[in-house]
Amino acid sequence: MSPWIERQAAFIDHAVRAMGRRRAHQIGLWLVYTLLVFLLASVMLFAHALRHEARQLLRDAPELVVQRMEGGRHALLSADHLERLRGIRGVGQLFPRLWGYHYDPISRANYTLMTPHDDPPPPGRMIIGAGIARVRGLAVGDLFSLKGGDGHSRSLTVQGTFSSASELISSDLILMNEADLRPLLGIPEGWYTDLALTVAQPREVGKVAEKVLQRLPEARPILRAELLRTYHALFDWREGILLTLLSVVLLAFVILVWDKASGLGAEERREIGILKAIGWQTGEVLAMKLWEGTILSLSAFLVGYVLAYVHIFVAPAPLLAAMLKGWAVLYPAFVLPPRVDGLQVLTLFFFTVFPFIAAMMIPAWKAAVTDPDAVMR
């Protein structure tokens, strides 16, 4: 073993023994530090994982959705509007969509009713989201009654439920046949909620949107990229609110760092004075204090981050789900696939570990360059 490694091993051994002599203080410090890293890492991991899931879910969405505006509000589109948009160069497919919302007074939740353009359920049957199945206690084969806008209730048979993997977007979703959906929403034949367009070249989406506006001035084109930016902005906003709510913990950490930087305790100063008196050099004292700060901060960071990882991707996120998922009643129950951003980890490491180590080294350096007799007195 090289002399340098032996010296560092001796410094680590002395640092561990010194921390053991101040066990109560060090444990309290370590717990506060770990809690801070756990909370910050939980928020960052959850928001990053949700952003990634949003990108994955919108990957198969149509590149362009066209809505008609009337009086500044979303209005229905007719078959005539559909014909006016046919033949636009660059458009792969153009298909009308039929969907709407339904308020359920029993669960006090809004359901999204929709007819898929391909492979819809047969008349009299529906496919429901897992959140609806949980709230209403429904299973395959059960009857589910929905009251339409005309005041009449219609009972449909549950044909199936969506898998938990899609619950982020399907928790409150009901798919049904067009023949069942039109009476429920009060949409007459030949009218649709909006139009979906697929574009062969993603770089031409903006140009296609311009052509849509030329043919249908009252239209509002919605690009898939805009939806993704909206999701990101929403998650950024909610992440910011959570971080603001954690400002008390951040303030505690700032006070902790400030306390460390303001000076050493009498016992620590006396220990440094004794080390200097028996022949330790200033560099050796600083090396020992550096190892002490590194052991405490690095262990707290690793434990806090691992706990945050388990909290988000195993638990899953019971402390943050209600805030970041955003459902009012039907909270989706799903496990996010583990997603870790290396830059995010480095940023959190830089802003939590380095300030703490620097706060420990400054007063230690001041004590180490002072006359040992003065320090001990």
Side-chain angles (χ1 to χ4, degrees):
M1 185 180 296
S2 66
W4 184 87
I5 295 179
E6 292 181 351
R7 284 170 58 84
Q8 300 307 312
F11 290 147
I12 293 175
D13 180 69
H14 190 89
V16 171
R17 291 176 182 273
M19 293 169 66
R21 289 191 290 270
R22 301 183 298 274
R23 188 177 297 107
H25 174 74
Q26 296 294 335
I27 290 176
L29 185 62
W30 186 86
L31 289 175
V32 173
Y33 203 147
T34 303
L35 176 63
L36 170 79
V37 174
F38 165 75
L39 293 174
L40 294 180
S42 293
V43 174
M44 297 170 72
L45 282 171
F46 199 24
H48 175 69
L50 285 176
R51 291 191 196 96
H52 183 273
E53 285 300 292
R55 287 195 297 269
Q56 295 299 109
L57 292 170
L58 290 176
R59 182 179 55 188
D60 299 326
E63 288 81 6
L64 186 64
V65 173
V66 178
Q67 295 181 343
R68 189 173 73 89
M69 305 302 293
E70 189 175 89
R73 303 185 66 178
H74 177 204
L76 297 176
L77 282 153
S78 67
D80 176 63
H81 297 115
L82 178 63
E83 291 301 321
R84 289 161 62 181
L85 295 181
R86 290 192 185 278
I88 296 179
R89 187 176 179 180
V91 175
Q93 286 183 306
L94 189 154
F95 50 89
R97 302 197 308 178
L98 193 62
W99 60 273
Y101 299 111
H102 175 81
Y103 177 73
D104 181 15
I106 297 178
S107 62
R108 298 181 181 179
N110 280 313
Y111 303 152
T112 302
L113 311 182
M114 188 173 185
T115 296
H117 72 279
D118 55 346
D119 193 24
R125 294 183 175 274
M126 61 168 61
I127 302 174
I128 64 175
I132 300 175
R134 281 195 306 270
V135 172
R136 295 298 302 269
L138 296 172
V140 175
D142 292 346
L143 288 177
F144 187 24
S145 295
L146 297 173
K147 190 175 183 180
D150 55 3
H152 295 92
S153 295
R154 294 166 177 83
S155 297
L156 303 177
T157 303
V158 177
Q159 177 179 307
T161 60
F162 293 103
S163 66
S164 59
S166 65
E167 196 167 346
L168 181 61
I169 59 171
S170 66
S171 181
D172 62 346
L173 180 62
I174 299 177
L175 296 184
M176 60 179 63
N177 193 276
E178 181 178 343
D180 298 318
L181 184 57
R182 286 189 180 277
L184 277 172
L185 298 180
I187 300 178
E189 290 288 340
W191 290 86
Y192 304 94
T193 309
D194 55 27
L195 303 176
L197 285 73
T198 61
V199 182
Q201 295 294 332
R203 290 178 296 181
E204 298 180 359
V205 174
K207 194 66 178 178
V208 171
E210 294 178 5
K211 295 177 181 179
V212 168
L213 288 174
Q214 291 173 0
R215 298 194 180 191
L216 197 64
E218 68 271 29
R220 179 178 66 176
I222 302 175
L223 280 63
R224 183 173 60 188
E226 293 177 347
L227 288 176
L228 185 59
R229 285 196 296 270
T230 301
Y231 271 107
H232 282 194
L234 176 63
F235 292 140
D236 288 341
W237 175 71
R238 289 178 175 172
E239 183 182 12
I241 291 179
L242 281 175
L243 291 175
T244 302
L245 294 176
L246 295 177
S247 59
V248 175
V249 181
L250 292 173
L251 179 61
F253 181 71
V254 171
I255 294 174
L256 188 66
V257 172
W258 178 264
D259 177 68
K260 278 291 181 183
S262 62
L264 300 174
E267 183 180 349
E268 291 180 271
R269 289 197 301 272
R270 182 171 177 274
E271 181 180 336
I272 291 176
I274 293 174
L275 293 175
K276 291 282 290 185
I278 62 177
W280 279 50
Q281 301 298 317
T282 300
E284 295 171 334
V285 174
L286 293 180
M288 185 269 295
K289 297 300 291 184
L290 176 63
W291 277 114
E292 183 178 330
T294 301
I295 292 171
L296 194 148
S297 59
L298 192 59
S299 63
F301 180 86
L302 291 175
V303 172
Y305 200 89
V306 169
L307 290 176
Y309 186 94
V310 173
H311 171 231
I312 298 302
F313 299 122
V314 179
L319 301 179
L320 305 178
M323 182 63 187
L324 284 179
K325 287 179 183 176
W327 271 255
V329 177
L330 300 180
Y331 291 101
F334 63 96
V335 177
L336 287 169
R339 302 291 175 186
V340 177
D341 184 3
L343 180 60
Q344 199 176 70
V345 177
L346 290 176
T347 302
L348 182 62
F349 182 85
F350 180 82
F351 284 104
T352 55
V353 173
F354 285 101
F356 182 82
I357 293 178
M360 288 192 65
M361 296 302 296
I362 293 173
W365 174 78
K366 291 180 180 179
V369 297
T370 307
D371 181 71
D373 184 62
V375 172
M376 287 186 289
R377 286 201 304 268

